[in-house]
Amino acid sequence: MVGKTLYDKVWDAHVIRQEDDGTCLLYIDRHLVHEVTSPQAFEGLRLAKRNLWRVDSILAVADHNVPTTGLEKGITDPVAKIQLDTLDNNCEEFGITEFKMGDPRQGIVHVIGPEQGATLPGMTVVCGDSHTSTHGAFAALAHGIGTSEVEHVMATQCLIQKKMKNMLIQVEGQVAAGVTGKDIVLAIIGEIGTAGGTGYALEFAGEAIEDLSIEGRMTVCNMAIEAGARAGMIAVDDKTIEYIKDRPFAPKAEHWQQAVQAWSELKSDDNAVFDKTICLKAADIKPQVTWGTSPEMVLPINANVPNPQNYSDPVKSQAIQAALDYMGLEADMPIEAIQVDKIFIGSCTNSRIEDLRAAAAIAKDHHIADNIKLAMVVPGSGLVKRQAEAEGLDKIFTQAGFEWREPGCSMCLAMNADRLEAGERCASTSNRNFEGRQGQGGRTHLVSPAMAAAAAISGHFTDLHES
Amino acid sequence: MDKFTTHQGSVIPMDRPNIDTDAIIPKQYLKSVKRTGFGVNLFDDWRYLDAGEPDMDHSKRRINPDFILNNPRYSESSILLARENFGCGSSREHAVWALTDYGIRAIIAPSFADIFFNNSFKNGLLPIVLPASVIDTIFTELSATDHYDLVIDLQQQQLKTPSGESYQFEVDKFRKYCLLNGLDDIGLSLRHTDAIRAYEANRKKAAPWLFAS
Ligand code: SF4
């Protein structure tokens, strides 16, 4: 008998019915909700006089729009305030558990789900946000959905889906010191491209993935969507179970024993068949820096920016030229020669405690360079912030000249006041370097937290080993 | 949802790959709690020269004459032609709402990002995948004339060009059925209420910890 992949197993366990053309009704265990993609869904329910199918499956939090300074003043942006109030009102009306602004459990939806134990192995997890792939680090089938689907899940507890194909991404061997989950996933995206995973569920495996902490694995799965895959998954191991144990929403008592036993099955069978397999050697992966306007435009720190003239494909060559123009870079210049203006350490990719520790270790006893206009650290949740403060990381950052902010999405997408001005260049630990992502005309370079901290200290990108 | 059966319209060529949802509708407009009114901010960063904010009077903004949507030839167009990986990036359905609100009914590209592709069908917007070589041909033909209309027949899954050429395209049976009939898929899924309840009962036995709270 042909073995099953991890994705096959979780998928099969959630199919309610299947049509002849392969369209399935898939059961959803956990639905995470935030303020930006839910108001129209709640409105739709009300208009159709429909109710929630299963209110206890939903956990809501405000994150995209929340300010990261001056919380005592409340929200000063009137348009954002309406959206945040709308979430509060909807949660109240429908009886949904919500972590509101000011609640220490509030934070970025993809940080708080795992932190609360609301994301569990073998679950189907959805959220109206593409980085829902993050939760795949727990062997959950987790992916982003649009607002119509948010409404569909609210009303039916199901999604209409077709099964994706299976892709295995095997990262063999061990990474060098200073190479993180962020570098691994950026290297993968550089290899397969931003559409390389389209239509696939990715499974990340191999020694380098096993070696990662759970937080590192979340960083990898977070960016599966940047490789075009809605979902990325990693098998359950002891680290997964250890991480979940005793978290507020985690199973308790006899349920815990039962759950742990069931979760041990959540890995691909040895004879599982993948539609596609990609292998990377961990030892070849250096700290990565994106230079362009798509996450696939990424290079190791010691490389030079590409030259469009070296590409014969006109579409490719034009895309490189357009990216260089937008980014204000010269062809062939060394990545290390790129000077930055702002530093952003945060986002659902890299705002957890280990990320902050890694950045603080570099910043300790140093000061940000004179050319840095702003360096900010935005913890992923109120609890991450508390933990960091208990460890004195906030002091290290502020003494080094960084601003220490309140949790939220912040300059990852710049919906609140945290943003780049036109032409400003940012070393960012977030996940998207699209044109205008961090502010109209802003220029984003994606890096790991340690690399962002090193850029803050040097004023330009620099190899951790040489700084 | 609006029905989609046949559609004839002129085509806007957007000759770039990886057009992402941040470009289609920039984040500042996502603060809206409505589904409508996004059309005026479709491709905002490219379409206007000044920085846009939600509370502005957009009719008074400085338009970018070099951007294709501002070319008078395309003012009545309803079909978008683009390169690969259209709609990559965030899951924001606002991107689809901006396109439909502007008047786009179909997008033709060699490939689409999954979530965008899915969102399109929920809003009566038809994404059509054609081979890169065909897309090339359409780009070339379009640039050689002053007026270029395509005719899309969803029932036949067929696209006709002015030169009389026709191309077949794929579309899922279920999605086609919903589009042709303008059906709300929540209503369709709720016909299976008993099956969902039965599944839930089994799951509760097999994985009780998922229902403990
Ligand atoms: S941190 Fe950024 S990527 Fe993550 S959920 Fe918030 S806006 Fe999206």
Side-chain angles (χ1 to χ4, degrees):
Chain A
M1 210 180 78
V2 192
K4 286 183 174 188
T5 66
L6 170 58
Y7 169 62
D8 294 339
K9 290 182 186 182
V10 181
W11 171 268
D12 289 351
H14 289 86
V15 174
I16 296 173
R17 51 174 285 127
Q18 180 164 353
E19 309 290 339
D20 314 336
D21 72 343
T23 304
C24 291
L25 208 52
L26 193 76
Y27 190 80
I28 301 303
D29 296 313
R30 174 67 70 204
H31 187 184
L32 302 167
V33 166
H34 66 87
E35 77 274 25
V36 177
T37 55
S38 66
Q40 298 86 353
F42 283 112
E43 191 57 25
L45 286 183
R46 267 192 291 267
L47 287 174
K49 300 206 170 35
R50 287 177 175 136
N51 214 332
L52 298 177
W53 184 280
R54 210 184 120 198
V55 67
D56 68 322
S57 68
I58 307 178
L59 180 60
V61 71
D63 57 1
H64 283 64
N65 260 316
V66 300
T68 60
T69 47
L71 286 194
E72 61 291 344
K73 289 194 298 254
I75 317 239
T76 49
D77 173 349
V79 195
K81 181 159 182 353
I82 292 174
Q83 199 169 54
L84 290 159
D85 289 346
T86 303
L87 181 68
D88 289 352
N89 296 339
N90 283 329
C91 288
E92 197 151 313
E93 179 185 335
F94 286 92
I96 293 169
T97 306
E98 184 199 1
F99 298 159
K100 293 189 186 181
M101 254 176 70
D103 185 321
R105 299 169 300 177
Q106 180 270 339
I108 306 171
V109 63
H110 309 307
V111 174
I112 65 144
E115 187 172 76
Q116 292 295 320
T119 303
L120 297 174
M123 269 184 168
T124 41
V125 180
V126 295
C127 173
D129 188 285
S130 60
H131 291 100
T132 309
S133 59
T134 312
H135 308 262
F138 296 87
L141 172 56
H143 59 75
I145 53 178
T147 300
S148 294
E149 289 177 314
V150 168
E151 186 181 335
H152 192 279
V153 176
M154 285 176 169
T156 69
Q157 211 58 37
C158 301
L159 269 185
I160 298 171
Q161 289 260 291
K162 267 191 163 178
K163 198 174 173 197
M164 296 181 272
K165 288 181 282 184
N166 280 289
M167 187 190 298
L168 176 66
I169 298 188
Q170 185 85 17
V171 190
E172 293 292 358
Q174 298 175 346
V175 291
V179 174
T180 65
K182 182 64 162 286
D183 303 300
I184 295 177
V185 72
L186 282 172
I188 292 169
I189 296 164
E191 178 85 17
I192 70 173
T194 43
T198 304
Y200 290 92
L202 308 184
E203 179 174 345
F204 301 100
E207 188 180 355
I209 301 294
E210 288 160 24
D211 284 351
L212 288 173
S213 68
I214 293 299
E215 294 192 4
R217 294 178 193 180
M218 282 193 251
T219 303
V220 171
C221 290
N222 173 274
M223 291 191 72
I225 183 69
E226 261 56 68
R230 298 179 82 170
M233 303 174 83
I234 295 175
V236 166
D237 65 8
D238 292 345
K239 286 185 202 173
T240 324
I241 290 171
E242 194 49 43
Y243 182 95
I244 296 167
K245 197 168 192 296
D246 298 329
R247 292 191 181 260
F249 287 66
K252 304 271 150 34
E254 78 274 24
H255 280 165
W256 173 253
Q257 301 305 337
Q258 235 178 321
V260 168
Q261 185 156 12
W263 295 342
S264 66
E265 303 291 319
L266 293 171
K267 50 179 176 255
S268 290
D269 295 332
D270 291 339
N271 58 345
V273 179
F274 288 85
D275 300 286
K276 196 168 180 180
T277 300
I278 307 275
C279 284
L280 270 81
K281 277 213 195 69
D284 294 344
I285 302 175
K286 296 226 159 47
Q288 305 278 309
V289 182
T290 64
W291 57 268
T293 51
S294 159
E296 70 187 9
M297 294 173 161
V298 65
L299 285 166
I301 176 69
N302 55 351
N304 293 349
V305 171
N307 189 332
Q309 288 175 1
N310 299 343
Y311 294 79
S312 54
D313 173 2
V315 175
K316 181 123 202 193
S317 168
Q318 263 173 37
I320 293 175
Q321 188 58 55
L324 292 182
D325 292 345
Y326 181 85
M327 294 297 288
L329 298 174
E330 303 292 330
D332 294 324
M333 75 186 282
I335 300 263
E336 293 198 67
I338 302 174
Q339 297 230 347
V340 292
D341 305 305
K342 287 188 173 169
I343 307 290
F344 173 61
I345 296 176
S347 89
C348 57
T349 315
N350 282 127
S351 64
R352 299 179 182 83
I353 190 68
E354 291 172 13
D355 298 317
L356 304 191
R357 285 180 193 143
I362 301 282
K364 193 171 174 23
D365 301 330
H366 288 89
H367 200 272
I368 59 171
D370 289 343
N371 60 312
I372 302 293
K373 294 186 208 162
L374 171 71
M376 56 196 284
V377 185
V378 185
S381 72
L383 294 175
V384 170
K385 182 169 187 252
R386 275 192 186 174
Q387 176 66 29
E389 287 170 354
E391 296 177 21
L393 304 186
D394 58 323
K395 297 272 167 353
I396 295 177
F397 284 122
T398 48
Q399 278 162 14
F402 287 81
E403 291 189 14
W404 179 247
R405 296 291 187 90
E406 300 295 334
C409 292
S410 178
M411 207 159 69
C412 173
L413 92 165
M415 261 183 96
N416 67 2
D418 309 335
R419 63 178 76 174
L420 298 180
E421 300 303 324
E424 279 183 341
R425 188 181 298 289
C426 182
S428 177
T429 66
S430 55
N431 43 51
R432 287 193 176 133
N433 52 348
F434 299 153
E435 284 185 21
R437 170 77 179 183
Q438 294 191 296
Q440 197 184 20
R443 297 162 170 165
T444 302
H445 297 270
L446 304 175
V447 287
S448 74
M451 288 287 286
I457 305 303
S458 322
H460 56 87
F461 291 111
T462 181
D463 195 342
L464 294 170
H465 293 291
E466 287 160 22
S467 58
Chain B
M1 185 175 81
D2 289 344
K3 277 187 192 174
F4 192 113
T5 48
T6 56
H7 178 75
Q8 172 165 0
S10 84
V11 183
I12 312 169
M14 289 196 74
D15 196 356
R16 41 195 295 171
N18 298 317
I19 293 179
D20 60 77
T21 52
D22 278 82
I24 299 171
I25 184 83
K27 66 258 173 180
Q28 61 271 35
Y29 304 108
L30 309 188
K31 291 175 192 170
S32 166
V33 295
K34 304 202 191 77
R35 269 176 199 262
T36 51
F38 295 101
V40 64
N41 302 114
L42 176 68
F43 298 118
D44 200 275
D45 283 2
W46 294 340
R47 192 161 149 202
Y48 302 98
L49 292 168
D50 49 358
E53 288 300 331
D55 45 5
M56 279 178 159
D57 177 353
H58 299 284
S59 65
K60 302 225 166 77
R61 291 177 57 195
R62 280 191 299 134
I63 65 166
N64 174 5
D66 298 333
F67 183 57
I68 194 103
L69 248 54
N70 293 326
N71 180 335
R73 167 174 170 181
Y74 303 111
S75 61
E76 299 296 318
S77 298
S78 54
I79 301 173
L80 209 63
L81 178 71
R83 300 288 181 181
E84 71 264 21
N85 203 25
F86 188 93
C88 61
S90 103
S91 63
R92 62 187 72 161
E93 200 158 314
H94 312 67
V96 174
W97 299 334
L99 287 158
T100 54
D101 196 51
Y102 178 85
I104 303 294
R105 295 300 318 273
I107 304 176
I108 307 168
S111 60
F112 291 86
D114 284 340
I115 303 179
F116 178 86
F117 192 73
N118 214 16
N119 286 343
S120 300
F121 284 99
K122 314 273 180 197
N123 293 279
L125 174 68
L126 179 65
I128 298 176
V129 179
L130 288 175
S133 56
V134 175
I135 303 277
D136 265 343
T137 309
I138 302 179
F139 267 112
T140 315
E141 287 182 4
L142 191 156
S143 66
T145 86
D146 290 339
H147 193 83
Y148 193 84
D149 265 16
L150 288 173
V151 181
I152 300 165
D153 184 335
L154 178 58
Q155 182 63 48
Q156 301 299 323
Q157 299 178 215
Q158 207 175 56
L159 182 92
K160 283 209 194 78
T161 70
S163 61
E165 194 75 47
S166 73
Y167 301 102
Q168 288 299 124
F169 58 87
E170 292 292 317
V171 55
D172 270 4
K173 223 169 88 187
F174 178 75
R175 284 171 163 155
K176 178 174 167 181
Y177 169 74
C178 287
L179 268 187
L180 284 173
N181 298 291
L183 289 177
D184 156 14
D185 58 11
I186 296 182
L188 292 176
S189 294
L190 284 173
R191 290 183 316 188
H192 303 302
T193 294
D194 291 346
I196 305 171
R197 292 259 178 254
Y199 171 91
E200 236 170 11
N202 283 334
R203 185 118 177 104
K204 224 176 244 178
K205 277 188 217 132
W209 61 90
L210 294 175
F211 297 83
S213 61

